[in-house]
Amino acid sequence: MALAPELLEVHEEQARDRYALPPLPDAEKGVVMRFAPNPSGPLHLGHARAAALNDAYVRRYGGRYILRIEDTDAKRVDPQAYDTVPEDIAWLECAITETVYQSDRLALYYDHARRLIERGGAYLCTCDNDRFRELRQAKRACPCRSADIETNLAGFEAMLEGAYAEGEASLRVRTDLEAPDPALRDFPAFRILTSTLHPRVDATVYPLMNFSVAVDDHLLGCTHVIRGKDHIANTRRQQFIYDWFGWTPPHFKHYGRMGIEGVVLSTSEMRAGIASGHYEGWDDIRLGTLRALARRGIAPEAVRRAMLAIGVGETDIQFSWENLFAENRAIVDPVADRLWFVPDPVAVEVSGALPREARPLRHPGMPARGTRTLAFDGSVVVPTAELGNDLSMLRLKDLFNVDVSAVEDRFRFAYAGDDLAEARAAHAPIIQWLPLGETLPCTLRRPEGDLTGVCEPAVRGAVGGVVQFERIGFARIDRAGPEGVVAYLTHR
RNA sequence: GCUGCUAUAGUGUAGUCCGGCCAAUCAUGUCGGCCUUUCACGCCGACGACUGGGGUUCGAAUCCCCAUAGCAGCACCA
C-alpha cells in the first residue's frame, strides 16, 4: 500500500490526459446540472455532447443530474419523443437522477410572471410585431412599456383567460433599451399559442425559453449550466431575469458549434428525409442519431469518450467519425468474436485434399474463448475479389494452402500442403473461406452501400452483438432469420 | 449590417490566464517496419500545426493592435 499511491497517480495522470475536463468553479461540494432537450425527436450526436459533458461533471463532483424536457412550444413537440428521449439518454448511460417536464410546471411559470410584473420587471405588450421590432432597433420604448403594475397584472390575467388571440399579446421582460445587442432589449417571456394543441396540457399561454429556463434553473437549484454557444445570447437575456428576482445565477459554460462530416444533425431535416423515404427511419445508419449508432454497434461508452475527448472548448469543430470509431474499436476489439463473412462468394472445387475440420479461434488474443468448427469436404466459397489471374497460391485460413489455377473463367484450387511458413514465403494471401455446404446468406449493410455474401452458421449465435468479420471489419448482427443474416458494418 | 465569441498538424486536443523549461503534448489519421494463420489488436518509426501582418520584449503559440476567416445571436423556437 505504501508504494501504490505513486502508481495510481501515474495511471490517473495518463487517463486524465485525453478525457479530463477542466475543473468547474465552486463545485467541490457537489453540483446540480441538467440536460434540457426539446422533445422534437430522437437524440443525436449533438445532444450527446451536452448530455455526456454534464454527465461527466456530475459523476466527478457528485450531485444531481436533471433531465428536463423543454416542451413549451407545442409546435415543436413530437409526442413520440417523450419516450424516445429518455430511451436514448438511458442508452447513453447518463446518470440522470430526476426527470421534469416543463409542461407540468406552467402554473409555476405563471406565478413567477406575476411576481416579475409586481417587481416592475415585465409588462404586457400588444404591439404589432414589426412595429415593436422597429422601436427596438431604434432603442425606443413601445407604448405598452409605460403601463403601471396594476394594468400589467390585469392584462396578464386577461391573457391567461383568453382575452387575446394568438399573436395579439405577449409578456415582455423589461431589460435595457440601450443594450448594444438588440436581442437583449425587452425580449418576450410569454406568448399565446392556440393554433397548435399541446399533447400534454390544456393551455393557451406558454413561457418562452428564456423565462422558463431561468425560472427552472433557479428553482431546481442548478449550479452549473453547460450548453452550446448558440445560447450565449440567451444567457445574457436570462441574466436580466436573475437580476429582477435577485437570484444568483448558475455558472455558465458555452462550448463551440459541432459539425459532423457528411451528416445532417437537424432534426427537421432528418424528419423530412424519413418522410420522403430517403432514410429508412430514425435509426438509418447514415444518420447521426444515437439510435443509428446503436444499430451499427457503436458502444455508448465510445460516444461518451469521444465527447469528453472533444471537451468544452469554445472553438467550432468538425467532428470526425474516425475519432469515434477509434474509441469504439478499443472497446469492441477485445470482446468481439472473430467470424467469417465471404462477400460476393464464388464456389471453387479443391482437388487433392481429404475432408477435414478447421477450428479457427473465436479470438486470437484469447484462446480460452474457444473455436468454431468448419468441416471442409471438397469445395469452398471464397471472396471473388481475392481471385485474379496473377494469383498462383493462397492459404485458406486455418486450413491449408492451395495452388490456384484458372481454366477459362473458372478457378480451381489444388491442395498445396499445410505449411504456413510456405504460404508466407510465397506471399500467399491468407483468406477467409467457408465450406460450400455450411453457409448462411448474409447482407452486410454499410452507409456507402450493401455487401452481399455468405457467413458462417455461428453468426446466428451473435444476434444483437458485435463481431469482427475477419479482414472486413466490425459488424453488429442485426437479425438472423430463415432468409439469412442482416448485419451492419460498425467500422473497419 | 449590428452585437459578440473563436482561431495550434487531415481531424480532435494540451499548452495561452502567470512570456523563456514549446525546434509545441496526446489521440486519431496516413505511410513504412515488426508481430500475427485477419487488411484487426499490439509494438516501433516517419509525416504533419502555432491564420496573416505589425508592435512590446533580451525573449511571444502565449501580451497589445490591425487584418482575415469561421461561428453564434439580432424569433411571440429551443
Side-chain angles (χ1 to χ4, degrees):
Chain A
M1 211 57 211
L3 297 173
E6 272 180 50
L7 293 173
L8 272 179
E9 212 163 337
V10 172
H11 278 214
E12 230 178 320
E13 204 81 46
Q14 287 169 344
R16 196 172 353 202
D17 273 349
R18 289 192 49 238
Y19 303 120
L21 300 170
L24 247 27
D26 300 328
E28 283 63 36
K29 292 183 176 133
V31 296
V32 178
M33 302 184 72
R34 42 69 160 192
F35 171 59
N38 174 255
S40 57
L43 265 26
H44 53 65
L45 247 7
H47 294 109
R49 166 129 89 144
L53 253 18
N54 282 288
D55 181 67
Y57 276 122
V58 176
R59 285 174 193 266
R60 170 163 163 189
Y61 291 112
R64 298 191 290 139
Y65 190 17
I66 300 161
L67 171 61
R68 189 170 70 213
I69 307 295
E70 306 215 325
D71 56 350
T72 53
D73 180 9
K75 287 181 189 166
R76 292 182 40 146
V77 170
D78 171 6
Q80 284 193 331
Y82 286 111
D83 294 323
T84 56
V85 167
E87 281 168 18
D88 289 348
I89 209 71
W91 178 82
L92 233 204
E93 297 168 338
C94 286
I96 296 292
T97 56
E98 61 214 270
T99 301
V100 305
Y101 298 82
Q102 289 194 315
S103 54
D104 287 343
R105 302 163 67 82
L106 293 182
L108 221 46
Y109 305 134
Y110 298 154
D111 184 47
H112 280 79
R114 295 182 185 105
R115 289 165 57 179
L116 187 59
I117 294 169
E118 283 164 4
R119 287 166 179 257
Y123 61 92
L124 191 83
C125 178
T126 54
C127 291
D128 175 74
N129 239 327
D130 295 334
R131 175 69 184 141
F132 183 87
R133 193 169 308 158
E134 287 170 23
L135 291 169
R136 180 183 59 193
Q137 212 56 41
K139 302 185 176 179
R140 288 174 50 206
C142 86
C144 312
R145 200 181 205 248
S146 51
D148 60 31
I149 289 173
E150 297 311 315
T151 307
N152 281 317
L153 238 20
F156 183 63
E157 296 307 328
M159 184 176 166
L160 289 178
E161 281 157 21
Y164 298 99
E166 185 169 321
E168 280 184 3
S170 62
L171 189 73
R172 293 189 174 280
V173 178
R174 189 191 303 273
T175 66
D176 176 9
L177 294 179
E178 295 297 323
D181 185 349
L184 305 183
R185 300 173 197 156
D186 285 21
F187 61 87
F190 283 83
R191 66 161 171 174
I192 297 165
L193 183 65
T194 54
S195 58
T196 305
L197 293 179
H198 196 285
R200 293 183 87 241
V201 290
D202 179 23
T204 58
V205 176
Y206 298 89
L208 273 323
M209 180 259 205
N210 283 296
F211 189 84
S212 52
V213 163
V215 168
D216 276 343
D217 282 344
H218 177 259
L219 259 29
L220 296 169
C222 293
T223 57
H224 302 261
V225 172
I226 294 177
R227 41 157 48 156
K229 76 178 186 185
D230 44 319
H231 284 295
I232 175 153
N234 291 322
T235 298
R236 296 197 188 105
R237 286 194 268 224
Q238 287 160 28
Q239 183 63 49
F240 283 103
I241 294 172
Y242 284 98
D243 289 345
W244 276 115
F245 281 116
W247 296 337
T248 303
H251 294 281
F252 291 97
K253 181 86 186 167
H254 301 97
Y255 55 78
R257 187 189 147 86
M258 182 175 83
I260 300 182
E261 49 186 29
V263 165
V264 292
L265 280 193
S266 147
T267 301
S268 54
E269 268 186 72
M270 287 192 274
R271 187 186 303 284
I274 291 167
S276 74
H278 180 65
Y279 297 122
E280 292 177 2
W282 291 107
D283 60 355
D284 187 296
I285 52 172
R286 292 164 293 178
L287 257 22
T289 59
L290 299 187
R291 306 168 105 75
L293 298 181
R295 185 161 209 187
R296 287 176 69 152
I298 301 290
E301 175 74 16
V303 176
R304 281 186 284 128
R305 285 185 194 173
M307 294 304 154
L308 294 184
I310 285 168
V312 290
E314 291 170 52
T315 316
D316 301 327
I317 60 161
Q318 192 60 28
F319 182 79
S320 169
W321 291 106
E322 292 298 343
N323 293 317
L324 210 213
F325 292 164
E327 299 288 356
N328 196 63
R329 194 175 289 118
I331 291 167
V332 109
D333 184 80
V335 301
D337 272 357
R338 271 52 177 173
L339 295 170
W340 290 346
F341 167 68
V342 178
D344 191 17
V346 56
V348 184
E349 239 175 78
V350 183
S351 59
L354 265 15
R356 70 163 83 171
E357 287 181 343
R359 292 199 173 78
L361 254 14
R362 283 187 174 270
H363 196 294
M366 292 172 231
R369 291 245 289 266
T371 58
R372 347 50 108 170
T373 302
L374 296 167
F376 164 77
D377 67 352
S379 291
V380 296
V381 293
V382 296
T384 302
E386 297 294 345
L387 302 179
N389 289 326
D390 51 341
L391 184 73
S392 61
M393 179 185 187
L394 53 73
R395 180 175 180 85
L396 302 176
K397 190 167 184 288
D398 293 297
L399 192 64
F400 48 60
N401 307 332
V402 293
D403 287 324
V404 180
S405 57
V407 180
E408 298 297 294
D409 54 348
R410 284 181 65 88
F411 285 94
R412 295 186 59 85
F413 292 165
Y415 174 73
D418 294 345
D419 193 357
L420 177 62
E422 274 178 37
R424 286 210 190 287
H427 298 293
I430 300 170
I431 68 169
Q432 80 277 29
W433 56 277
L434 290 172
L436 186 55
E438 270 191 82
T439 65
L440 224 47
C442 180
T443 301
L444 181 62
R445 312 205 58 193
R446 305 176 302 172
E448 67 270 31
D450 296 353
L451 226 44
T452 57
V454 294
C455 64
E456 58 185 283
V459 169
R460 275 208 196 90
V463 173
V466 175
V467 303
Q468 187 199 62
F469 281 145
E470 284 191 56
R471 310 206 312 132
I472 306 278
F474 293 92
R476 181 176 158 280
I477 309 304
D478 197 67
R479 55 186 183 272
E483 77 292 343
V485 171
V486 176
Y488 288 89
L489 182 74
T490 309
H491 47 67
R492 296 223 54 179

